[in-house]
Amino acid sequence: MITSAVATSSVKSSGAWVATVLKGSWRSCPPDIDVSADELKQIIPLLLSSGAGGLAWWRVRQSDLRSPEIFKLQQAYRQHSIYSAIHEQRIQRVIGLLHSAGVVPLLVKGWAVARLYPEAGMRPYGDIDLCLHPHHHRAALAALKGTEFDNITVDLHVSSKKLDDCSLEELFERSNTVKFGDVEVRVLGLEDQLRILSVHFLRHGAWRPLWLCDIAAAVESRPLGFDWDRCLGRNCRRAGWVACAIGLAHQLLGAKIDDTPAAERGKHLPTWLVPTVLREWGKQYRHRIHMELFVRQPLNGLKELPHHWPNAIEATINVRGPFNALPRLPFQIGDSFLRAARFLPQILSASRKSQQLF
């Protein structure tokens, strides 16, 4: 359910309407939708740009809501279905090539997450993200070189640092092998997948509602024997992050979490958390321009600077802080200083290169 302050408001924010439309949308039989055609039309651009158009169509397809704008959601669903079939063929081909070279990759994101949904058109994905043992990297590059995948994004990762605190060896050891067409694919263990999905959602400032639907789908589709101790991990602070993400899936999207360790946390989220998510969902996402623009075009760089101010969620994750009731401004300031410290050497290097050209 959406928080009472949002649910009883006479004028709901765009972000709250996005949450309303996507409630239960990952299920085979989602609940009836309670929005008007005019209300839905207002947020269709937000749904489409965030990749949630297919999920929104799955939710409204059995309703009597009809208009040319609403059928854009159906078009998104059909497009996702077509692209999914293409991506599946590509993934099978890539995995087959790597297996022939003696490389066993771990498929993360993409299809590994989309398979949680009942239909292919509900959840779009593009890049092929594969984790490899470092000693397999050269063989993997050689196997893909000169193939049609030179022009298709295949991201090969030899470290798990960007994904998780667990080592790559641990993720491989706890992974599962599933049949995927003519090949067998190694995917993350379900416990690791839910933890990684949760932290990834928060690390990126919770801007994409599709990612919270992923978390809801992962929670509700987990099998008997799901190991919550493994999912939450050994780090208490990170476990709190995961619990908050699951709590958000409950409060905003109606995910069923009563039989999870996050049930109590989901009822008592920090007061700043839900409003921050809804603000992100209520605006068009804008990719941040790299701050090398400061060197090339200082005035335009200054205009870009406000867009690099981290939201409360992103800042908390970046400084590895707790999700508690304390004000977030100190976390945001601290994160901004850390970013500036990391970026300053790049600015100085780019400036020196620029001076050398003249």
Side-chain angles (χ1 to χ4, degrees):
M1 75 194 104
I2 301 176
T3 56
S4 59
V6 175
T8 58
S9 175
S10 59
V11 180
K12 292 187 177 181
S13 69
S14 296
W17 281 120
V18 169
T20 298
V21 169
L22 295 179
K23 182 178 180 181
S25 59
W26 59 90
R27 298 175 186 147
S28 297
C29 298
D32 293 337
I33 192 165
D34 184 24
V35 297
S36 69
D38 287 339
E39 290 163 343
L40 180 56
K41 282 162 56 177
Q42 292 179 30
I43 61 168
I44 283 177
L46 297 174
L47 293 166
L48 293 174
S49 64
S50 68
L55 277 173
W57 174 252
W58 185 255
R59 182 88 194 278
V60 305
R61 73 194 195 287
Q62 301 294 346
S63 72
D64 57 0
L65 297 174
R66 294 293 182 269
S67 76
E69 290 82 4
I70 291 174
F71 276 108
K72 291 179 181 178
L73 301 176
Q74 184 183 39
Q75 292 170 2
Y77 176 86
R78 290 173 174 171
Q79 187 179 59
H80 297 338
S81 299
I82 293 170
Y83 285 158
S84 176
I86 295 171
H87 292 321
E88 287 182 8
Q89 293 177 359
R90 290 174 174 170
I91 293 170
Q92 291 179 52
R93 175 74 174 138
V94 168
I95 298 295
L97 288 169
L98 295 177
H99 283 178
S100 298
V103 177
V104 180
L106 177 64
L107 178 66
V108 297
K109 304 178 185 178
W111 177 82
V113 178
R115 69 192 182 101
L116 299 174
Y117 292 84
E119 297 286 340
M122 298 168 68
R123 209 287 184 189
Y125 59 95
D127 296 350
I128 303 173
D129 286 275
L130 301 171
C131 287
L132 311 169
H133 289 296
H135 59 273
H136 281 159
H137 189 237
R138 185 174 297 177
L141 291 175
L144 299 179
K145 186 177 181 180
T147 69
E148 67 268 31
F149 301 107
D150 280 348
N151 297 319
I152 295 175
T153 303
V154 179
D155 290 331
L156 302 177
H157 308 275
V158 294
S159 170
S160 61
K161 287 183 179 179
K162 291 185 178 181
L163 285 175
D164 197 41
D165 275 358
C166 284
S167 68
L168 193 59
E169 288 73 20
E170 286 180 285
L171 295 180
F172 263 96
E173 182 182 343
R174 303 195 305 222
S175 64
N176 301 314
T177 300
V178 297
K179 190 69 176 177
F180 185 24
D182 297 330
V183 299
E184 289 189 339
V185 180
R186 188 167 289 278
V187 297
L188 288 167
L190 296 176
E191 293 88 355
D192 292 327
Q193 179 172 255
L194 176 54
R195 182 181 63 256
I196 288 171
L197 287 175
S198 299
V199 177
H200 177 266
F201 171 70
L202 298 173
R203 178 177 288 127
H204 289 275
W207 77 267
R208 200 175 188 193
L210 179 66
W211 292 338
L212 193 59
C213 291
D214 290 342
I215 294 167
V219 169
E220 291 194 358
S221 64
R222 73 191 189 281
L224 291 174
F226 184 90
D227 189 338
W228 279 106
D229 288 337
R230 174 177 290 184
C231 174
L232 296 175
R234 299 180 291 268
N235 185 299
C236 292
R237 182 156 295 180
R238 182 172 285 255
W241 298 348
V242 175
C244 279
I246 295 172
L248 282 169
H250 169 65
Q251 284 209 20
L252 292 176
L253 302 177
K256 300 173 182 177
I257 67 169
D258 286 345
D259 58 344
T260 75
E264 190 62 27
R265 185 55 163 150
K267 299 174 185 176
H268 304 287
L269 295 175
T271 55
W272 54 267
L273 186 53
V274 167
T276 301
V277 176
L278 294 182
R279 280 195 298 272
E280 291 297 321
W281 290 7
K283 61 186 181 183
Q284 289 283 355
Y285 178 71
R286 180 182 184 276
H287 286 284
R288 288 171 176 164
I289 299 173
H290 199 279
M291 289 310 293
E292 281 187 3
L293 188 68
F294 266 126
V295 178
R296 302 194 311 270
Q297 303 174 30
L299 290 179
N300 288 333
L302 288 173
K303 293 178 182 178
E304 178 66 20
L305 192 58
H307 299 291
H308 287 254
W309 178 253
N311 73 21
I313 299 170
E314 181 183 14
T316 302
I317 295 293
N318 286 342
V319 301
R320 304 184 74 83
F323 278 62
N324 56 26
L326 292 176
R328 294 296 102 178
L329 183 58
F331 294 87
Q332 292 169 290
I333 294 173
D335 183 29
S336 297
F337 273 113
L338 289 174
R339 288 173 184 237
R342 287 194 299 265
F343 185 65
L344 185 58
Q346 299 177 43
I347 293 180
L348 296 175
S349 175
S351 178
R352 285 193 295 267
K353 291 179 181 179
S354 177
Q355 291 172 4
Q356 289 171 5
L357 295 176
F358 296 95

